[in-house]
Amino acid sequence: MEDEREIRRFVKSALETEGYRVFEADTVARGLIEAATRKPELVILDLGLPDGDGLDLIRGVRAWSGMPIIVLSARVDERDKVEALDLGANDYLTKPFGIAELLARVRAALRSQPQLGGPDAKVRFGNVGVDLTARRIVKNGAEVHLTQREYRLLLTLLNQPGKVLTHRQLLRDVWGPAHVEHSHYLRIYMGHLRHKLEDDPARPRFLLTETGVGYRFLPDEG
Amino acid sequence: MTDPDQRPSPDALLAQVQQEEAQAKRGKLKIFFGACAGVGKTYGMLSAARQLRDQGRDVVVGVVETHGRSETAALLAGLEMLPLRETSYRGNTLREFDLDGALQRHPEVILVDELAHSNAPGARHLKRWQDVAELLDAGIDVYTTLNVQHLESLNDVVGGVTGIRVQETVPDRVFDHSEEVLLVDLPPDDLLIRLKRGQVYVPEQARHAADNFFRKGNLVALRELALRRTAERVDEQMQGVRRTAFQSPVWQTGDSLLACVGPEDSDGRVVRVAARMAARRQAEWHCVYVETPSLERLPHPRREAVLATLKLAEQLGAETAVLAARDAPAAALDYARQHNLGRIVLGRGPHSGRWSWQSFMRRLGQLASDVDILTVARQASAAAPQTRGVAPERSPRSPLRHYAYAVAVCLAITLVATPLPPYIDRANIVMLYLLGVVGMAYRCGRGPSILTAVLGVLSFDFFFVPPRFTFAVSDVQYVLTFVVMLIVGFVIGHLTSGLRYEARMARYREGRARNLYELAKALSSTLTEEQVIDISTRSLQASFQSRTRILLPDDHDKLRADSAGSEDIDLGVAQWCFDHNEPAGAGTGTLPGRAHQYLPLAAPMRVRGVLVISQEPSRSGLLPEQQRLLEAFAALIGIALERIHFVTVARDTLVKMESERLRNALLTALSHDLRTPLTALVGLAETLSLSMTTSAPQQRAQVDAIHRQARATFRIVDNLLQMARLESGQVELRRDWQSMEEIVSAALRETGGSLTGHPVTLNLPAELPLVRCDALLVERVLVNLLENAAKYTPEGIPLGISARPSGDALEVEVWDGGPGVPPGQEEAIFHRFVRGGRETAVPGVGLGLAISRAIVEAHGGRIRADNRAEGGARFRFTLPLEPQPAAMEEGE
């Protein structure tokens, strides 16, 4: 959903090249109808639509569906993104964005659909293996010790691969609703996680920072 | 365990800190204090000055009186002396301390001898201690000397002991507020020996002095006074120290004093005693004069004397007031209760046996069971205040014309009554005469009414009482009639004229209040400074019959004299008055020789201007009431000017807010409208290049170029918008605890594309403290610096980022191994649209560094560029570190 025809056009052509079916809408009202009737697997949404706020659309869609939503925003203002993510959007892209980037995000969002779980859930990224049942983390063959909080933080991130989790969401899930303002907890614990799991903590490959917004676990491509 | 009451209260500590701060800026005053002349104060001061000079301090002698003493003069040698100012006064050349010269020379320490000295006419201040105060205000340390008899509060005591009253006094606050008092002490015997040897005065003066002043008894008493006064000061300082160490209650309000003065207190003893008591208790004190209707009729000089006593009280640190009331004890007591004053001090003199005083005491005692009443004996000699004969009698003396009226009225009544006796009783004729007395008392005052009463009695006797046309009386009962008639006439006359006087006073007071009220009302509706000036000058004109001008300061606090009619105004004096917030000119203590009076228009926040009031040369100055009224006017005008100032400020703010809102709207619109087409451009170019995998490589390169250029354009637009935002000050920092490692990693990810070909070395300690900053903006700084480094360094040259805490800030450094910053350009490159090498083909408009600087400075940090010793440029910026947030509980 996007009001600018040119953007719609190239997004559509790029997605169609990848073999997706694309439906377009240029208003919030139209978008809600399309979303309800076509039941798409994924929504790409521009926050600045002519007849209303894209945030309202997220609210509307989230009322009945958990389909992934990727937000496009022309605004530099981080608050809009954070709000969109807090409302349930999965990812965001700031204009201008590259096609490759968009397609990668789309793939990631679609893949994250099957939730983690099951008795023998195991996640691998880079040279790290996480055994969720045994609560064992192995890096380069050596076991890594994580504190309770670090483990919970890692688990929360791993649970939604590719999805941007806002500071608020992470703090609520890991520390509880009373601590949503204590963002320095996150800074410190993410630092610990990176130092323990990433090869180069200053150039993380998997535990990425979305400045001003939150964090994202980026699984291995492919 | 500490008792909470024992700790210093924050307010008291704050007051002390503020006092210390104010003192740090002010110069320090050191007083060499002695019992009398000849103890060696000047000698001590000069020795101290020489020591200072030997320590390399900048010491200048402002004025020193050697009194022909050779030892003292010898000490002067080698010290820099400020030339004295010569003024001619009535044919004599007077040499005085040059205040302006001293201010201009601005030494570290200046010596000014004889603090109590009175300046020659024509000097800026009446007294030397005022000069010294100005020197201190200018931040110059002052060394000075003072004898105990010159202290205002001890003046009377010393006068009583030695029999010599000195005219030159120094207010006690100057002494009490000085930083250091050094007591120069010499036993009386030694002093007398010195005197005999001629070391104090030249020999012929010495004998005269020894006989009069330098008697041993005097010297002992003076020495004791000086010692005791110094000890009191030391005691105060001790208490000051104790107050910071552990709190003793600041002071009991019950210790505060109220001194009541009356016309009999012109010797100022009550005031001085009260001042001493208050000083000893460190209590505040007030002084009031209750003006009852009978006191209002006092002759002018006596009234002046009362006001002079009040003025003295003010100089000794009291709050003063004149209360108008019929019931003096009740009014005084009311005042004491309102101001929480626990003691009342009254004078009791030789005339105090009088009925009125006793009744005053009794009534006060009845009313004020909870208040201590202290009585102070007045001096017996102070009964008659010296009449100065300058001020005209202002009491309502009836002119001769009124006495003529009195005679005429009696004649008329006699004529009218002559044909009546057959028809009316003689007793009623008495009534007619009494009617005349009432009329006269009402119209012409007391004197004529008494005359009317006497003449009435005589006429009645002569014309109507048988035997007629003689003063003899046949019937003795008429004697009773005469007596009663006379008494009734007197009483009626007295009461009526008193009533009339009170009515006049009430009218006068009401007029005063109405003037003020009208001015306040008129000023409250003004909208511009011009209106305020116009209304004020008109109102002042009406109330004082004097020409007034109001001078306003410009933006640099310099008074303007642009309006016509201000030629004769001395702007220098006006500026002084404005800067010091003190009245100057005629009728004040500063530059009294000027033709105008300059009053500061002081408002709560600051002085808003100066009111210049011209006085007729023939008039001897404003009466105290008028002076007070004038001051009230000045306060009103000052407040009105301040109000207008703030209205203007508020309006400007509103305009600014509105324009900012517009700019914001514009920025938001621009930002959206430019990004959208550019996004389309970037996206379409990319799509094109993806779909062209098989096409000719040349076309593909062109499409890539479009893509690159579109991105570059986007970058520039983004920078411009960001700069506009930062410039307009509308960027609000969203500070949060951030880890520098995270910001660096985000910045590296952001610049990933443009850094290809430059190996980046990171040097980030693992335990870097968190900083409170806006992560997005700081990331922006890093991105800009990195892109900048990549832009100006050839491919393959390494870049690096390092961070470390330094002092109370986190220092982040971005370096490269490139050609470095052109020398001399280290500062300029941070300016907008300035680029390292002008002629280079490197894209960009030179906004990146300007933005970085704006962001860093908004965080309270600094950014600077220089070249590394091993080559290449180095950009360093700091972010202030704050106490780290509370550690979290691990909860395992």
Side-chain angles (χ1 to χ4, degrees):
Chain A
M1 296 160 206
E2 162 66 60
D3 57 333
E4 198 66 30
R5 195 152 53 89
E6 299 306 325
I7 296 180
R8 243 171 25 230
R9 176 188 295 173
F10 82 78
V11 169
K12 182 176 179 184
S13 74
L15 288 173
E16 278 173 347
T17 335
E18 291 290 302
Y20 300 107
R21 267 183 74 201
V22 180
F23 304 101
E24 294 173 40
D26 54 1
T27 59
V28 171
R30 185 90 208 122
L32 275 171
I33 296 167
E34 289 282 334
T37 50
R38 309 279 183 186
K39 296 264 161 57
E41 281 176 73
L42 182 136
V43 174
I44 298 175
L45 165 71
D46 182 19
L47 279 184
L49 289 175
D51 65 334
D53 202 325
L55 296 176
D56 296 335
L57 192 136
I58 301 178
R59 247 176 244 124
V61 170
R62 275 286 169 269
W64 53 268
S65 163
M67 70 174 80
I69 299 175
I70 295 177
V71 168
L72 302 180
S73 165
R75 296 176 219 179
V76 267
D77 198 349
E78 301 305 306
R79 268 179 238 199
D80 287 343
K81 291 172 197 163
V82 174
E83 202 174 334
L85 292 169
D86 276 339
L87 282 173
N90 293 52
D91 207 342
Y92 72 91
L93 277 170
T94 305
K95 293 176 183 177
F97 49 89
I99 294 293
E101 210 181 340
L102 172 70
L103 292 176
R105 300 286 173 93
V106 168
R107 275 196 298 274
L110 288 175
R111 193 178 42 222
S112 72
Q113 279 302 83
Q115 290 282 311
L116 287 176
D120 58 351
K122 281 195 176 128
V123 184
R124 283 204 68 80
F125 54 94
N127 45 25
V128 179
V130 182
D131 185 339
L132 296 173
T133 3
R135 287 202 160 194
R136 253 165 61 92
I137 296 135
V138 179
K139 180 177 177 193
N140 287 336
E143 187 166 335
V144 180
H145 174 75
L146 292 186
T147 66
Q148 188 102 6
R149 295 272 181 208
E150 286 165 7
Y151 184 75
R152 270 174 74 179
L153 179 59
L154 178 64
L155 212 62
T156 313
L157 285 163
L158 294 187
N159 245 326
Q160 286 145 301
K163 185 175 191 298
V164 178
L165 297 172
T166 62
H167 299 140
R168 192 172 259 278
Q169 287 168 343
L170 284 171
L171 283 165
R172 195 186 51 220
D173 291 355
V174 179
W175 278 273
H179 296 281
V180 289
E181 303 299 333
H182 297 168
S183 61
H184 58 276
Y185 291 7
L186 263 183
R187 309 270 175 245
I188 293 169
Y189 278 78
M190 280 307 292
H192 292 172
L193 275 185
R194 286 209 190 100
H195 278 269
K196 286 177 179 172
L197 302 179
E198 292 276 1
D199 289 337
D200 181 354
R203 291 189 187 81
R205 281 176 57 207
F206 309 105
L207 303 172
L208 301 185
T209 309
E210 299 291 334
T211 312
V213 179
Y215 295 92
R216 172 213 308 273
F217 167 59
L218 190 71
D220 278 330
E221 282 286 318
Chain B
M1 239 177 70
T2 50
D3 182 356
D5 293 339
Q6 285 298 312
R7 273 180 313 180
S9 86
D11 288 343
L13 279 179
L14 185 68
Q16 183 163 357
V17 169
Q18 280 169 344
Q19 199 188 346
E20 276 165 14
E21 266 176 17
Q23 277 173 354
K25 273 177 257 151
R26 261 188 124 228
K28 292 189 170 36
L29 178 63
K30 181 167 181 171
I31 297 180
F32 291 79
F33 188 56
C36 64
V39 293
K41 299 180 302 296
T42 307
Y43 187 90
M45 178 171 79
L46 286 171
S47 309
R50 291 182 80 89
Q51 266 178 16
L52 281 186
R53 189 206 51 187
D54 293 343
Q55 287 164 16
R57 305 269 305 270
D58 181 17
V59 186
V60 164
V61 177
V63 60
V64 162
E65 328 247 334
T66 56
H67 298 291
R69 296 168 207 165
S70 53
E71 310 158 295
T72 316
L75 278 180
L76 270 175
L79 286 170
E80 181 185 340
M81 309 261 287
L82 205 68
L84 296 178
R85 198 167 56 97
E86 297 195 351
T87 48
S88 59
Y89 179 70
R90 294 192 182 154
N92 297 330
T93 308
L94 299 172
R95 289 156 64 80
E96 275 292 345
F97 170 57
D98 183 6
L99 176 58
D100 288 316
L103 287 172
Q104 203 170 14
R105 168 67 179 78
H106 209 282
E108 235 178 291
V109 183
I110 190 164
L111 310 189
V112 183
D113 209 359
E114 299 279 347
L115 188 60
H117 178 80
S118 291
N119 285 334
R124 184 183 314 170
H125 298 294
L126 282 177
K127 302 282 190 178
R128 183 168 286 164
W129 63 263
Q130 292 172 308
D131 291 348
V132 167
E134 202 167 332
L135 287 171
L136 294 171
D137 282 339
I140 304 175
D141 292 355
V142 180
Y143 280 23
T144 189
T145 62
L146 181 68
N147 283 335
V148 68
Q149 77 252 36
H150 293 297
L151 267 182
E152 181 74 63
S153 69
L154 294 176
N155 186 258
D156 62 330
V157 179
V158 175
V161 170
T162 61
I164 297 171
R165 281 287 273 274
V166 287
Q167 294 300 317
E168 302 178 327
T169 57
V170 174
D172 284 53
R173 64 188 143 86
V174 177
F175 181 80
D176 290 333
H177 291 180
S178 66
E179 272 69 24
E180 233 180 298
V181 169
L182 200 139
L183 180 72
V184 182
D185 188 35
L186 190 69
D189 291 331
D190 295 2
L191 179 61
L192 286 171
I193 292 170
R194 283 190 59 180
L195 191 72
K196 278 190 196 120
R197 282 198 206 141
Q199 282 168 313
V200 177
Y201 288 111
V202 266
E204 60 267 28
Q205 283 181 4
R207 186 163 320 116
H208 180 71
D211 292 344
N212 281 308
F213 191 76
F214 287 85
R215 276 174 289 148
K216 191 170 173 191
N218 279 359
L219 295 180
V220 171
L222 284 172
R223 187 175 179 222
E224 188 197 335
L225 275 175
L227 286 169
R228 209 196 293 163
R229 191 66 180 82
T230 315
E232 262 170 35
R233 217 191 94 92
V234 172
D235 194 43
E236 264 167 41
Q237 280 174 334
M238 244 278 281
Q239 283 182 0
V241 171
R242 205 182 292 160
R243 197 169 305 143
T244 43
F246 57 89
Q247 168 81 343
S248 61
V250 182
W251 56 61
Q252 304 266 314
T253 43
D255 275 351
S256 314
L257 296 175
L258 174 66
C260 298
V261 296
E264 290 86 19
D265 287 304
S266 50
D267 65 333
R269 210 174 126 73
V270 171
V271 169
R272 286 203 172 85
V273 167
R276 275 201 293 276
M277 281 168 63
R280 220 163 281 150
R281 294 190 165 85
Q282 291 230 333
E284 64 171 312
W285 71 287
H286 295 235
C287 182
V288 294
Y289 167 51
V290 185
E291 195 167 47
T292 55
S294 61
L295 288 179
E296 272 168 0
R297 279 197 290 274
L298 279 181
H300 186 52
R302 298 199 63 193
R303 201 148 179 275
E304 281 268 85
V306 173
L307 294 168
T309 311
L310 281 182
K311 189 119 194 168
L312 174 70
E314 214 163 279
Q315 278 173 3
L316 291 172
E319 297 264 322
T320 61
V322 177
L323 311 173
R326 196 169 267 285
D327 185 355
L333 202 64
D334 264 359
Y335 186 90
R337 294 240 165 83
Q338 270 167 19
H339 294 82
N340 217 353
L341 309 171
R343 286 150 198 260
I344 294 181
V345 182
L346 290 172
R348 177 171 50 79
H351 309 293
S352 299
R354 276 195 334 209
W355 170 77
S356 66
W357 193 86
Q358 282 181 348
S359 81
F360 184 93
M361 276 303 285
R362 204 169 39 239
R363 189 152 161 67
L364 199 57
Q366 279 167 358
L367 288 170
S369 50
D370 55 336
V371 175
D372 298 345
I373 299 170
L374 308 163
T375 56
V376 173
R378 295 192 190 107
Q379 262 159 6
S381 61
Q386 68 276 40
T387 39
R388 286 193 290 154
V390 208
E393 191 83 348
R394 205 172 55 93
S395 76
R397 175 68 48 92
S398 313
L400 270 181
R401 199 150 44 90
H402 289 174
Y403 291 96
Y405 287 157
V407 176
V409 164
C410 277
L411 268 178
I413 293 172
T414 311
L415 280 178
V416 169
T418 307
L420 297 179
Y423 312 107
I424 62 169
D425 195 48
R426 285 197 189 87
N428 287 332
I429 291 174
V430 171
M431 293 296 146
L432 282 180
Y433 280 110
L434 286 180
L435 185 67
V437 171
V438 171
M440 282 313 291
Y442 184 71
R443 298 295 308 173
C444 304
R446 195 155 28 152
S449 78
I450 290 172
L451 181 64
T452 316
V454 172
L455 283 179
V457 171
L458 293 179
S459 312
F460 179 63
D461 181 10
F462 195 75
F463 294 108
F464 299 101
V465 178
R468 293 180 69 184
F469 306 113
T470 64
F471 286 113
V473 179
S474 55
D475 193 345
V476 186
Q477 67 165 334
Y478 278 114
V479 175
L480 180 67
T481 313
F482 296 155
V483 171
V484 170
M485 190 176 161
L486 206 59
I487 290 173
V488 169
F490 283 177
V491 169
I492 289 177
H494 180 77
L495 287 179
T496 315
S497 70
L499 216 61
R500 177 168 159 268
Y501 182 77
E502 263 167 47
R504 228 183 52 186
M505 279 313 284
R507 262 204 307 281
Y508 170 70
R509 288 219 179 89
E510 194 249 323
R512 221 162 43 165
R514 199 186 50 231
N515 277 343
L516 270 178
Y517 166 72
E518 277 172 2
L519 178 66
K521 202 171 93 173
L523 284 179
S524 70
S525 58
T526 51
L527 288 173
T528 63
E529 286 180 347
E530 289 73 29
Q531 279 177 308
V532 171
I533 292 176
D534 190 42
I535 287 172
S536 313
T537 40
R538 264 190 287 139
S539 173
L540 284 163
Q541 190 103 39
S543 306
F544 295 95
Q545 284 84 42
S546 309
R547 222 156 47 82
T548 53
R549 302 216 53 80
I550 290 173
L551 302 179
L552 298 179
D554 60 12
D555 294 340
H556 310 291
D557 282 349
K558 291 271 166 267
L559 292 174
R560 298 171 288 185
D562 43 357
S563 46
S566 52
E567 305 82 33
D568 54 336
I569 290 174
D570 188 336
L571 263 189
V573 182
Q575 188 67 45
W576 187 91
C577 159
F578 180 78
D579 292 342
H580 292 75
N581 189 11
E582 270 177 48
T588 67
T590 304
L591 294 169
R594 302 300 155 119
H596 310 288
Q597 186 178 132
Y598 299 81
L599 269 180
L601 299 173
M605 301 301 288
R606 51 165 301 179
V607 182
R608 294 283 163 196
V610 170
L611 174 68
V612 184
I613 182 152
S614 328
Q615 282 163 16
E616 308 286 324
S618 57
R619 300 237 310 259
S620 62
L622 293 172
L623 298 170
E625 285 103 338
Q626 282 183 306
Q627 187 68 40
R628 270 164 203 258
L629 184 61
L630 189 61
E631 276 159 20
F633 269 76
L636 272 181
I637 299 168
I639 289 167
L641 286 172
E642 181 151 291
R643 181 178 59 80
I644 283 169
H645 168 77
F646 283 123
V647 165
T648 319
V649 168
R651 202 176 43 210
D652 288 354
T653 314
L654 211 67
V655 169
K656 216 167 108 189
M657 271 164 61
E658 186 59 22
S659 69
E660 221 144 73
R661 205 185 56 77
L662 266 174
R663 183 160 44 187
N664 275 358
L666 199 67
L667 279 177
T668 316
L670 258 183
S671 142
H672 181 262
D673 289 359
L674 282 171
R675 269 164 208 265
T676 306
L678 281 170
T679 307
L681 202 56
V682 170
L684 287 172
E686 209 178 341
T687 322
L688 204 57
S689 90
L690 284 177
S691 63
M692 279 169 62
T693 35
T694 51
S695 311
Q698 204 186 350
Q699 281 170 353
R700 200 192 147 90
Q702 281 170 354
V703 171
D704 280 348
I706 293 176
H707 181 224
R708 247 197 337 272
Q709 290 302 325
R711 279 222 176 241
T713 313
F714 186 85
R715 200 62 167 158
I716 292 168
V717 167
D718 209 34
N719 270 340
L720 277 172
L721 289 174
Q722 182 91 44
M723 194 68 221
R725 249 174 233 224
L726 284 167
E727 291 261 293
S728 69
Q730 64 149 146
V731 170
E732 140 198 20
L733 294 183
R734 254 181 283 141
R735 286 175 182 245
D736 203 348
W737 291 105
Q738 303 289 353
S739 104
M740 192 42 74
E741 190 180 78
E742 249 176 35
I743 298 178
V744 169
S745 71
L748 284 174
R749 204 146 53 87
E750 178 81 18
T751 47
S754 50
L755 289 187
T756 41
H758 297 280
V760 181
T761 317
L762 295 182
N763 180 15
L764 303 172
E767 287 305 319
L768 271 183
L770 298 183
V771 276
R772 250 173 75 72
C773 62
D774 187 319
L776 214 66
L777 291 179
V778 175
E779 181 187 322
R780 183 64 178 246
V781 173
L782 278 171
V783 167
N784 285 347
L785 291 179
L786 285 171
E787 283 183 343
N788 195 64
K791 242 188 324 193
Y792 288 97
T793 44
E795 290 261 311
I797 301 293
L799 309 177
I801 304 175
S802 60
R804 67 185 160 276
S806 92
D808 53 356
L810 183 74
E811 189 179 78
V812 183
E813 176 180 331
V814 177
W815 55 267
D816 63 57
V821 186
Q825 288 275 302
E826 289 91 348
E827 177 61 29
I829 51 172
F830 286 107
H831 293 169
R832 265 177 302 164
F833 308 116
V834 173
R835 302 172 52 195
R838 262 156 227 278
E839 66 290 345
T840 53
V842 183
V845 288
L847 270 177
L849 290 179
I851 290 173
S852 302
R853 160 176 276 193
I855 292 173
V856 170
E857 284 176 358
H859 279 89
R862 291 191 54 217
I863 186 164
R864 56 194 188 282
D866 53 5
N867 287 322
R868 295 198 305 155
E870 54 268 52
R874 171 167 74 165
F875 290 85
R876 283 178 295 173
F877 68 89
T878 57
L879 294 172
L881 284 177
E882 289 172 38
Q884 295 291 299
M888 67 216 80
E889 75 293 358
E890 175 51 66
E892 283 196 59

